[in-house]
Amino acid sequence: MSTEPANFSLLHRTCKLVVLLCLLHISITVVFYVRSLDIRLAFVQNQQSHVNVTERNQFTFRTGPAEAVTPKGEPGKGHPQSGVQEAEDPVKKLDKCPETSPLLVGPLRVEFTTSVSLEEITKSNANLRPGGRFKPKDCEALQKVAIIIPFRKRDEHLKYWLYYLHPILQRQQLDYGVYVINQDGDEIFNRAKLLNVGYKEALKEYDYNCFVFSDVDLIPMDDRNIYKCFSQPRHLSVSMDKFGFRLPYNQYFGGVSSMSKEQYLKINGFPNNYWGWGGEDDDIYNRLASKGMSISRPNGEVGKCRMIRHERDKQNEANPQRFNRIAHTRETMHKDGINSLSYKVVKLDKFDLFTKITVDVGKP
Ligand code: BGC
């Protein structure tokens, strides 16, 4: 008889404990639920900002006749031509961009039958800074890339390049600038020397750590072909339509390539004495190989690209000395390169879509 109240008190205490445990469980659940709401909200905002970038970058082909090739903004006016290096924006500290950009779409339709106008291209790339500069606004780009284009009298090609490449490079989430290095005068063309000039001039403006060297008439057909640098020098234009979408030979390093600052300096930059068409890219390959580097490449599908068909330019005839020069790269590369480069800047124009640097590179 006397055990009954004792049993009741034990039952009472057990019930209290169970209720307390339930309350604790409910509070923990509520805390976790509220925190997961925060995370989901941030994720949705992030997704929306990516969608906005993609929408802004949708291609819109103009069907009307081509307009005169006059970049918006008078050269020299509107944008300061300062040689002073830019500082990083100290205010915003962003997270690093992901290794693979979520904005990429893969294969692209590339064609050159419809004309494009600089005005339209400028309008659909309103997020560029003067001189054709861009950096993602929601994350910190993994590389600072200067894109160097050797150039002379190819304005129609340049328009297609800008039309296709700006949206691609933005989807690739790069911090980049476009530098068109225009050879002044009518002397014989020197592609590799112009590339050296581009390297040097771009570094005067910003602390670039990667350099993409691109012909003006080559357009990638897949935005997964990232215009950045890799642990080995990169050859990007690996499947050109001109060569039946395959490499013409294993050592081919022409068209579009990229190199980090370290890789470029290791080979003393590019040769300055290849005047006219051909051989300079083979010389660059020899330089890389002689320093023990190998070539990194995307696969044949991702590396597909189209070349804008054209006649051979005047003053860019095949260089008959190229075979002899290529045979002696190892002996010449240490005295001919970025360490022996000399040129004169004639004009520097900061247009909306690109920086144009007109240079006197001399003659053979
Ligand atoms: C030339 C290179 C050129 C390649 C493909 C070679 O013979 O030396 O400069 O890129 O052919 O056209």
Side-chain angles (χ1 to χ4, degrees):
M1 289 280 250
S2 59
T3 56
E4 226 176 282
N7 279 347
F8 180 76
S9 135
L10 184 67
L11 187 67
H12 183 75
R13 267 188 276 154
T14 310
C15 284
K16 261 174 142 179
L17 191 67
V18 168
V19 168
L20 272 175
L21 279 174
C22 283
L23 280 175
L24 187 69
H25 183 82
I26 289 169
S27 353
I28 291 173
T29 310
V30 167
V31 167
F32 274 95
Y33 177 70
V34 169
R35 285 180 63 180
S36 83
L37 268 186
D38 274 359
I39 291 167
R40 259 184 285 170
L41 201 66
F43 178 73
V44 169
Q45 277 167 354
N46 195 27
Q47 288 294 306
Q48 279 170 350
S49 65
H50 283 159
V51 168
N52 289 344
V53 175
T54 318
E55 277 169 2
R56 271 205 307 277
N57 291 340
Q58 288 298 314
F59 293 168
T60 42
F61 251 114
R62 208 188 129 86
T63 45
E67 287 178 18
V69 187
T70 327
K72 259 182 76 188
E74 281 273 288
K77 285 189 198 162
H79 305 307
Q81 296 185 12
S82 108
V84 181
Q85 266 215 5
E86 268 173 43
E88 292 283 351
D89 183 355
V91 189
K92 266 201 277 175
K93 187 73 198 139
L94 298 169
D95 285 341
K96 291 234 180 279
C97 295
E99 202 47 57
T100 306
S101 165
L103 309 177
L104 302 179
V105 296
L108 307 168
R109 193 169 66 89
V110 175
E111 52 107 350
F112 310 114
T113 50
T114 322
S115 303
V116 287
S117 82
L118 278 178
E119 221 174 32
E120 284 291 322
I121 307 167
T122 308
K123 247 192 248 160
S124 53
N125 290 281
N127 40 359
L128 293 180
R129 288 184 288 130
R133 300 282 303 277
F134 174 86
K135 56 167 109 177
K137 80 177 172 15
D138 300 320
C139 59
E140 188 195 331
L142 300 180
Q143 293 189 7
K144 298 172 188 166
V145 185
I147 299 172
I148 316 287
I149 303 176
F151 184 85
R152 187 163 66 185
K153 295 181 188 154
R154 295 277 203 93
D155 300 78
E156 277 304 312
H157 295 182
L158 181 59
K159 281 198 292 180
Y160 283 117
W161 192 97
L162 297 165
Y163 174 78
Y164 281 112
L165 264 296
H166 270 306
I168 293 176
L169 298 167
Q170 287 163 48
R171 290 201 298 276
Q172 295 183 348
Q173 297 189 312
L174 302 168
D175 176 357
Y176 73 88
V178 176
Y179 296 85
V180 173
I181 314 299
N182 178 39
Q183 182 168 334
D184 194 37
D186 289 315
E187 274 299 338
I188 191 148
F189 196 66
N190 190 328
R191 177 178 183 266
K193 189 167 183 182
L194 291 169
L195 296 178
N196 277 338
V197 172
Y199 169 88
K200 194 125 189 179
E201 289 297 314
L203 276 180
K204 286 182 186 169
E205 191 174 78
Y206 190 46
D207 186 21
Y208 291 108
N209 50 20
C210 172
F211 299 83
V212 170
F213 305 98
S214 174
D215 286 351
V216 69
D217 51 9
L218 279 174
I219 312 294
M221 295 170 71
D222 194 309
D223 64 6
R224 291 169 298 172
N225 195 359
I226 313 292
Y227 275 41
K228 66 168 188 176
C229 291
F230 292 77
S231 59
Q232 294 297 316
R234 181 88 161 174
H235 183 225
L236 292 104
S237 50
V238 302
S239 321
M240 284 163 61
D241 56 350
K242 168 182 164 182
F243 298 127
F245 293 110
R246 45 155 63 137
L247 274 181
Y249 50 96
N250 269 344
Q251 297 80 0
Y252 179 58
F253 199 61
V256 190
S257 59
S258 77
M259 260 178 238
S260 69
K261 196 173 171 186
E262 290 69 33
Q263 290 160 356
Y264 176 91
L265 290 174
K266 206 166 170 183
I267 59 167
N268 189 25
F270 302 156
N272 296 302
N273 59 0
Y274 280 77
W275 299 91
W277 182 90
E280 84 295 338
D281 46 358
D282 304 311
D283 189 290
I284 295 167
Y285 175 86
N286 289 346
R287 287 173 184 236
L288 298 170
S290 81
K291 291 287 171 189
M293 289 187 262
S294 55
I295 305 299
S296 130
R297 290 192 169 106
N299 69 46
E301 204 45 42
V302 168
K304 274 183 158 182
C305 55
R306 280 205 193 288
M307 197 183 99
I308 310 171
R309 297 271 163 190
H310 60 91
E311 310 262 291
R312 172 75 49 87
D313 296 305
K314 289 196 191 85
Q315 288 293 71
N316 194 24
E317 284 76 30
N319 174 9
Q321 294 171 1
R322 65 187 188 283
F323 305 107
N324 185 41
R325 290 208 190 284
I326 297 163
H328 295 99
T329 306
R330 278 165 195 257
E331 296 110 76
T332 54
M333 62 181 280
H334 300 290
K335 38 188 192 308
D336 175 26
I338 192 70
N339 66 354
S340 63
L341 175 68
S342 78
Y343 62 95
K344 231 172 56 212
V345 172
V346 175
K347 200 162 173 231
L348 193 152
D349 298 323
K350 282 213 171 220
F351 297 120
D352 292 332
L353 297 166
F354 61 100
T355 298
K356 183 175 184 179
I357 305 177
T358 302
V359 281
D360 177 358
V361 291
K363 51 186 175 187

